[in-house]
Amino acid sequence: MSEFVDLYDRNRNFLNRVVDRNTYLFQPGEFMMYVLAILENEEGKFLVTQRALDKKWAAGGWEMPGGGAKSKESSLDAIKREVKEETGLDVINGHVVYSYFNEDQKRHDNYFVDIYHFRFDFQLSDVTLNTRESIDCRCVSLDELVAMNNEDEFLHFERIMKALQQKK
């Protein structure tokens, strides 16, 4: 199934090109946009999800909700859609706390990531997982998140930790 994304340059300027993210080979200086959400409840616990086992990349891995921005979608619109699709939760008052680039010319895997932080009142019972995306979820403390990473790599862990330091 095709999923179309916008191409950006290193300065995050739109290059006026839309490509199929599943077949396009990103060239040097061409990037797509990803978004991640740190969802923190009033108890200071973070919602983490486990990727579906049939995912092409990092199947079964634990992560924060997020994904790729679709064509003509802003970063904020993308994170709101991704969180709703994956967890059933609506997010409103959040902001980008950390961004980074990846440019892998060998694999043609070029992207930038905006990490958002949302703090709001939710419980695990409020989450409705989209099982095509995730097979499990938990609300974990920061210490539990660190322990999860020590047991088995938590996806984007170092970047999430940097983002959490930025929020203070």
Side-chain angles (χ1 to χ4, degrees):
M1 181 167 70
S2 295
E3 185 173 326
F4 293 96
V5 298
D6 296 329
L7 284 184
Y8 297 88
D9 68 14
R10 188 95 162 100
N11 296 316
R12 298 173 56 137
N13 295 314
F14 178 51
L15 293 174
N16 295 314
R17 293 188 46 217
V18 176
V19 298
D20 183 339
R21 96 179 227 190
N22 297 317
T23 59
Y24 186 73
L25 297 177
F26 290 83
Q27 301 305 305
E30 296 177 338
F31 299 87
M32 69 169 284
M33 179 187 351
Y34 283 101
V35 291
L36 291 175
I38 298 171
L39 304 176
E40 182 179 359
N41 68 16
E42 297 293 320
E43 299 166 5
K45 295 211 171 184
F46 304 99
L47 180 66
V48 297
T49 57
Q50 186 178 21
R51 292 173 63 84
L53 298 177
D54 63 351
K55 289 287 192 179
K56 186 168 97 174
W57 178 78
W62 285 90
E63 67 179 351
M64 299 288 181
K70 295 180 179 180
S71 179
K72 309 296 184 245
E73 198 171 44
S74 71
S75 176
L76 182 59
D77 288 341
I79 197 60
K80 288 179 178 183
R81 177 187 51 76
E82 285 287 343
V83 169
K84 182 70 170 176
E85 283 179 4
E86 291 181 24
T87 69
L89 297 173
D90 289 310
V91 291
I92 299 168
N93 296 322
H95 59 280
V96 174
V97 291
Y98 189 75
S99 294
Y100 66 93
F101 278 87
N102 180 74
E103 188 167 12
D104 185 339
Q105 294 178 13
K106 189 178 208 178
R107 295 185 334 158
H108 301 275
D109 191 20
N110 303 347
Y111 56 84
F112 62 88
V113 180
D114 287 339
I115 302 177
Y116 285 80
H117 183 244
F118 297 92
R119 183 156 194 204
F120 61 107
D121 186 22
F122 72 90
Q123 301 297 319
L124 196 55
S125 59
D126 298 324
V127 176
T128 304
L129 279 185
N130 174 347
T131 55
R132 290 186 324 257
E133 298 289 333
S134 304
I135 57 173
D136 198 4
C137 65
R138 301 177 188 166
C139 285
V140 300
S141 68
L142 185 57
D143 288 342
E144 290 169 319
L145 182 62
V146 170
M148 288 176 79
N149 185 63
N150 290 339
E151 291 170 21
D152 188 24
E153 182 184 359
F154 190 91
L155 301 175
H156 316 286
F157 180 77
E158 290 184 23
R159 309 297 182 136
I160 296 295
M161 290 297 107
K162 286 181 181 180
L164 287 170
Q165 291 171 358
Q166 298 298 317
K167 75 173 190 129
K168 294 179 179 178

